[in-house]
Amino acid sequence: QVQLVESGGGLVQPGGSLRLSCVASGFNLDGYSIGWFRQAPGKEREGVSCFHPIGSSIDYLNAVSGRFTMYRDNAQNTVFLQMNSLKPEDTGVYSCAVDEMTCGLGPDAYRGQGTQVTVSS
């Protein structure tokens, strides 16, 4: 059974850090394009980061560049999103998605259910 499960969200004060995990089961993440997304209340989902399998490059949303780092642990078949210097505007439901070429945006992408991140004092 193919599944993506996110965890690691929670409530954190501004300036704090969180590390999100996206664990894949039923398939191997190697060779896939992987995206992290977030959706704030009342707003559309936006892409936060994307791992491109060709060239192994990673793109970041401008608003998180320099604060967020996406990386993968092949042994755990898991993708992480390290989030530092968090701001209230980073609040939202964070989810991961996987497909062959389009950062999890394609119609056949595997998608997780998401984990809530709340940045507030």
Side-chain angles (χ1 to χ4, degrees), residues 11-77:
L11 172 64
V12 63
Q13 292 186 342
S17 298
L18 285 173
R19 189 182 74 162
L20 306 184
S21 302
C22 170
V23 180
S25 58
F27 73 106
N28 194 318
L29 283 170
D30 193 25
Y32 281 89
S33 178
I34 307 165
W36 277 103
F37 300 85
R38 68 185 181 186
Q39 186 165 19
K43 295 187 177 181
E44 293 190 357
R45 187 179 69 149
E46 64 179 349
V48 173
S49 63
C50 173
F51 170 80
H52 303 279
I54 298 176
S56 298
S57 63
I58 301 175
D59 294 325
Y60 295 94
L61 181 70
N62 284 343
V64 308
S65 183
R67 299 188 296 121
F68 290 12
T69 302
M70 178 182 184
Y71 61 99
R72 190 174 73 187
D73 185 323
N74 290 334
Q76 298 183 49
N77 209 28

Side-chain angles (χ1 to χ4, degrees), residues 76-99:
Q76 298 183 49
N77 209 28
T78 299
V79 178
F80 298 95
L81 184 67
Q82 177 67 45
M83 307 188 297
N84 298 329
S85 302
L86 283 162
K87 304 176 181 180
E89 51 264 43
D90 294 320
T91 294
V93 176
Y94 284 70
S95 61
C96 59
V98 174
D99 62 12

